[in-house]
């Protein structure tokens, strides 16, 4: 929603030059800080509670998307950088993955805009249509339906929307919980996806092997906060005190404040608005239909693997 609102504002009015540095900061530093803080939402105990089937399924879905999408893009004549953005957005965590990868591969504004538009469009289609499909594929609902929604829909907010729709339509809280945790586990693949796709782009651009990019600091921070959250949950369960200092209520409030309110809402919300403000409709139209065809095919592949 923040991306769409920012894009609408940028299209409706000419923004003063004074906002330029703020938009740039939102797309860079604010975005990276938000991704790092969202790591505090991811707990190993929550992931394992979904069931043993969810982790291999998440690995298969993300791995297939990262491998197949660039090949689909190449076959459609899409530039390697744009193919990498589509792969990240479709396979991992939507627009957040796109804008996190973009600086590493040197993506242009037109490429970022086209990838964002395609991933948002097909993610929205999935959010609206996959709850009914999940009920058809998994009539008993519950964890199996939730895992499918968590794997097949692109963006975290879209997964939450699909999970809420499924819960409200079929009175199934278990599916919503499984969808949310499965998506958070899938988001963790961002730590591997960015170096992998950067390295792959460097091969295609240079025609010769280069060393993979080092793990970006904000991804390292994301993993560190996920490890801290996992340690806190484990010590809370074992001793009644998270990290030896907080009771359950205090720890839950801290996790929500850092991971949800600060990371997901304040920082990532601001970053996504900055992305929207920098999008150009003319530049997106200039890349043609091929990225959208690639995005549709990639979304279908990820959905099929998620259902399997």
């Amino acid at each position: 929603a923040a991306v769409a609102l920012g894009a609408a504002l940028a299209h409706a009015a000419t923004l003063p030059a004074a906002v330029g540095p703020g938009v740039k900061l939102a797309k860079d530093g604010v975005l990276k800080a938000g991704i790092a803080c969202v790591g505090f939402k991811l707990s190993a105990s929550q992931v394992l509670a979904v069931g043993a089937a969810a982790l291999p399924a998440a690995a298969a879905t993300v791995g297939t998307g990262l491998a197949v999408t660039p090949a689909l893009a190449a076959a459609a004549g899409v530039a390697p950088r744009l193919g990498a953005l589509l792969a990240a957005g479709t396979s991992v965590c939507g627009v957040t993955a796109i804008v996190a990868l973009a600086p590493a591969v040197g993506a242009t504004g037109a490429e970022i805009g086209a990838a964002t538009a395609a991933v948002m469009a097909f993610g929205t289609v999935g959010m609206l249509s996959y709850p009914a499909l999940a009920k058809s594929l998994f009539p008993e609902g519950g964890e199996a339906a939730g895992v499918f929604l968590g794997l097949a829909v692109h963006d975290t907010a879209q997964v939450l929307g699909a999970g809420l729709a499924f819960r409200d339509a079929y009175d199934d809280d278990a599916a919503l919980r499984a969808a949310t945790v499965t998506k958070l586990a899938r988001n963790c693949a961002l730590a591997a996806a960015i170096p992998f796709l950067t390295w792959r782009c460097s091969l295609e651009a240079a025609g010769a092997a280069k060393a993979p990019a080092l793990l970006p600091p904000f991804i390292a921070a994301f993993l560190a906060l996920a490890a801290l959250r996992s340690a806190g949950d484990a010590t809370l369960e074992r001793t009644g005190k998270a990290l030896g200092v907080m009771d359950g209520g205090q720890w839950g409030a801290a996790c929500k404040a850092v991971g949800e309110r600060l990371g997901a809402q304040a920082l990532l919300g601001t970053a996504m608005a900055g992305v929207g403000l920098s999008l150009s409709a003319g530049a997106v139209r200039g890349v043609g239909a091929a990225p959208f065809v690639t995005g549709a095919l990639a979304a279908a592949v990820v959905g099929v693997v998620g259902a399997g």
Side-chain angles (χ1 to χ4, degrees):
V3 175
L5 289 173
L9 178 60
H11 182 70
T14 300
L15 300 176
V19 306
V23 171
K24 184 177 180 180
L25 176 64
K27 295 191 300 176
D28 186 12
V30 174
L31 169 73
K32 292 174 180 177
I35 292 173
C37 288
V38 166
F40 214 51
K41 295 177 65 176
L42 182 63
S43 169
S45 62
Q46 290 179 333
V47 174
L48 294 174
V50 176
L55 296 180
T61 302
V62 173
T64 300
L66 293 178
V68 171
T69 306
L72 292 172
V78 174
R81 294 178 306 197
L82 180 49
L85 297 180
L86 290 167
T90 302
S91 307
V92 185
C93 53
V95 178
T96 302
I98 291 171
V99 295
L101 176 65
V105 298
T108 65
E111 290 168 336
I112 296 169
T116 298
V119 167
M120 285 180 62
F122 297 116
T124 301
V125 169
M127 178 182 69
L128 297 175
S129 62
Y130 282 1
L133 178 60
K135 186 63 174 178
S136 176
L137 294 172
F138 308 100
E140 295 183 1
E143 185 178 293
V147 169
F148 166 69
L149 294 174
L151 295 176
V153 182
H154 297 346
D155 194 83
T156 302
Q158 292 168 339
V159 169
L160 181 59
L164 287 169
F166 193 94
R167 183 198 66 182
D168 293 344
Y170 307 112
D171 191 24
D172 194 333
D173 280 322
L176 173 60
R177 289 194 299 271
T180 302
V181 176
T182 300
K183 185 64 180 74
L184 289 174
R186 184 176 154 205
N187 290 353
C188 198
L190 190 66
I194 288 180
F196 169 73
L197 290 171
T198 302
W199 171 73
R200 181 164 182 164
C201 280
S202 74
L203 293 182
E204 294 174 339
K210 291 184 177 180
L214 295 175
L215 189 68
F218 72 96
I219 295 296
F222 170 89
L223 293 175
L225 285 176
L228 181 64
R229 169 66 188 274
S230 299
D233 286 356
T235 54
L236 179 64
E237 182 178 355
R238 188 169 61 250
T239 68
K241 289 284 187 179
L243 305 176
V245 295
M246 296 185 189
D247 61 27
Q250 293 170 326
W251 180 242
C255 293
K256 188 170 185 179
V258 175
E260 182 61 31
R261 294 197 184 101
L262 177 60
Q265 295 178 4
L267 295 176
L268 285 185
T270 300
M272 294 302 103
V275 170
L277 287 169
S278 64
L279 293 181
S280 166
V284 172
R285 285 194 295 269
V287 302
F292 296 90
V293 174
T294 301
L297 292 174
V301 169
V302 168
V304 169
V305 176

